[in-house]
Amino acid sequence: MTGVGTLLRLALRRDRVVLPLWVFCLGILPYVYLTGFQTLFATDQERIDYARISADNVGFVGLYGPLQGDSLGELTVWRGGFQPVLIGLAALLSVIRHTRTDEEAGRTELIRAAVVGRWAQLAAALLLTGLGGLLLGLLATATTVAAGEPVAGSIALGVVYTLDAWVFAAVGAAAAQITETARGARGIAIGVLGGAYVLRLGGDISAMGDGNLAWLSWLSPVGWAHRVFPYGANDHLPAVLSIVAAVAVTGLSAYLMTKRDLGGGLLAARLGPPTAAAGLRSPVALAWRLHRGLLLGWTLGFTALGLVFGGVAGSVAQIAEDSGGVDDIFTRMGGTDEIVDGYFGIVAALCGVIAACYAVQATLRMRDEEQNGHAEALLSTGVSRYAFAGSHLLFGLLGPAVVLLAEGLASGLVHGDVGPVLAATMVQLPAVWVPAGVALLLTGFLPRLTGLSWAVLGGALLLMLAGPLLRFDQWVMDLSPFTHVPQLPGADFTVLPLAVLTVVAAVLAGVGATGLRRRDLPL
């Protein structure tokens, strides 16, 4: 373990922007939800009715998890039911970035040439992410206590978030030992996270019926986070399970490291053919080969989201019929006078932000190709830098169109009204292209700061989640490109904002490609 302290300081130096960003954005959300609910409900009876209907609604339980009480604190934790997934995602990506990504880039070999222990880099990555999870939990605790919630419940909420980060940090560490590439490690770890969410969803929905599959939730770290009920039962067993899982998986990752060579993985990479097929003899064809797995995964994921969102729409309509007061609440949360239209408008905007994550990821693939030396080999041929950038940007622009189309079709078919639902989803596309343009702009001029592309998305997500509840000024909301998208279905369709967003994205991408053309590529 020699050198852990030095490597931890190095990791903190490298993550001086990224770490505070995800800690603050995810740690402040409970306070945002809480203060929003405080202003949302005019009377206690309105809050109780909302909680009663939501707790018995299959669609809402599937989205947010079980709800066992009607206090503001319990509603806040329930409304933040997707928080454990977001925290887990941030944690596993952080660990993989400081382990497998560095190893793939050759930095680990240089570090290990010094007086550094075998497990020092892995330990530093886990300590960094664990510290981030702890700070996130402390922030959630402090802000909810400041908002007037019970101290014991707020501490329990902070513990839930901290342990969730630790569990999935360990998952990321284990995944980093399996494959030779950071991309493969991220795929494995995110697959585990998605599986945990599906197990939680299936178990919670089963518990509302015959309960035969309710035990599935107890196999999921996400399910454990949902079963502490900080402001209610405050059950300690799920927290104990999280601690045991974090320790066990961390130990497993350390053991797996001893079973592989530096630079290799437990699963050896498959050798390719000695000569390229005819279909790989152009930059676009090569980009298709590199992006097709990512595109397929995102398309399947968005199809599943569409099935869930489309199924929940019927539950939203039932809520409107059961309680006119809840209908008014939904309108104040950012929807329209028609609750189902408002629901699909909010869902479409959320899908737009998620699709923008794919757009940024696909666009930044050119930066990965540059860092691992593949771009240098490609550009040493007759391929121009514009062709290189354009081949990856193509998937950053058209890929989100494919996944949004899949979500809109699935959601509309399940709901039984494809046209309006699909239109609400596809109209998000110009706003999705703007972060992709920002990613290419940073790649062209400030390649070391390409991580700031994710800050644009984080800000847009924060405005989407917090803005309607906290009633931000319009100029603040206008900072997000998604604010300018017509809120279909229900609102009037206008072409001008979509055209402006498209032009902005095109200018950003064009300037970024020019910057890439003019700067040096590191050897």
Side-chain angles (χ1 to χ4, degrees), residues 21 83 178-179 186 194 203 206 242 311 381 386 487:
L21 183 65
Q83 278 280 92
I178 297 175
T179 68
R186 287 191 291 266
S206 176
S242 296
T381 66
Y386 287 125
Q487 295 184 350

Side-chain angles (χ1 to χ4, degrees), residues 15-387:
D15 272 15
R16 62 189 181 277
V17 175
V18 176
L19 181 68
L21 183 65
W22 68 263
V23 167
F24 176 79
C25 289
L26 296 177
I28 201 69
L29 275 181
Y31 174 80
V32 171
Y33 290 136
L34 179 59
T35 54
F37 277 135
Q38 287 174 342
T39 59
L40 190 63
F41 299 111
T43 64
D44 290 340
Q45 188 59 47
E46 195 175 65
R47 186 192 73 243
I48 294 171
D49 289 343
Y50 178 82
R52 174 181 54 81
I53 295 173
S54 299
D56 296 333
N57 186 276
V58 175
F60 279 2
V61 170
L63 280 175
Y64 302 127
L67 175 62
Q68 290 193 344
D70 55 26
S71 68
L72 281 175
E74 288 168 306
L75 281 172
T76 297
V77 176
W78 171 77
R79 182 61 178 80
F82 207 67
Q83 278 280 92
V85 177
L86 297 176
I87 294 171
L89 180 62
L92 65 88
L93 291 178
S94 174
V95 172
I96 292 173
R97 175 172 181 258
H98 290 283
T99 53
R100 176 52 66 179
T101 300
D102 282 353
E103 195 168 341
E104 185 180 8
R107 288 187 287 267
T108 299
E109 185 176 2
L110 294 175
I111 292 172
R112 293 278 289 273
V115 183
V116 174
R118 170 182 288 182
W119 293 285
Q121 191 173 20
L122 176 63
L126 288 170
L127 286 173
L128 171 77
T129 308
L131 176 63
L134 178 61
L135 293 175
L136 191 157
L138 291 174
L139 179 61
T141 297
T143 53
T144 50
V145 169
E149 290 303 301
V151 175
S154 298
I155 292 175
L157 176 63
V159 169
V160 167
Y161 289 169
T162 298
L163 292 180
D164 183 69
W166 290 359
V167 169
F168 285 103
V171 170
Q177 316 308 317
I178 297 175
T179 68
E180 294 184 359
T181 64
R183 186 169 59 256
R186 287 191 291 266
I188 292 173
I190 292 174
V192 172
L193 176 62
Y197 180 77
V198 171
L199 287 173
R200 195 282 306 166
L201 186 149
D204 288 346
I205 292 179
S206 176
M208 300 183 68
D210 54 24
N212 290 335
L213 298 177
W215 53 273
L216 289 176
S217 297
W218 288 97
L219 301 179
S220 166
V222 176
W224 301 339
H226 281 249
R227 268 154 182 73
V228 174
F229 301 114
Y231 296 102
N234 206 353
D235 188 0
H236 297 109
L237 177 59
V240 173
L241 293 175
S242 296
I243 294 173
V244 172
V247 173
V249 180
T250 299
L252 176 64
S253 64
Y255 172 76
L256 293 178
M257 180 177 281
T258 65
K259 299 299 179 180
R260 65 176 182 87
D261 294 329
L262 181 64
L266 295 177
L267 299 178
R270 186 178 61 182
L271 295 177
T275 58
L280 287 177
R281 294 176 183 173
S282 71
V284 174
L286 177 60
W288 162 250
R289 177 63 179 83
L290 296 174
H291 285 269
R292 65 185 183 184
L294 187 66
L295 176 60
L296 177 61
W298 276 89
T299 302
L300 293 176
F302 264 65
T303 302
L305 281 179
L307 296 175
V308 173
F309 289 144
V312 172
S315 302
V316 173
Q318 185 63 44
I319 288 178
E321 294 176 2
D322 292 344
S323 175
V326 174
D327 193 351
D328 295 337
I329 293 171
F330 191 90
T331 302
R332 295 201 297 271
M333 290 175 68
T336 66
D337 293 336
E338 297 292 335
I339 187 170
V340 177
D341 287 348
Y343 164 77
F344 276 116
I346 294 172
V347 165
L350 178 60
C351 289
V353 174
I354 300 175
C357 295
Y358 171 43
V360 170
Q361 184 183 12
T363 304
L364 291 182
R365 180 62 190 268
M366 70 181 75
R367 175 61 177 164
D368 292 339
E369 294 294 291
E370 178 185 348
Q371 289 180 305
N372 59 29
H374 296 167
E376 181 187 359
L378 181 64
L379 295 175
S380 65
T381 66
V383 176
S384 70
R385 296 196 185 191
Y386 287 125

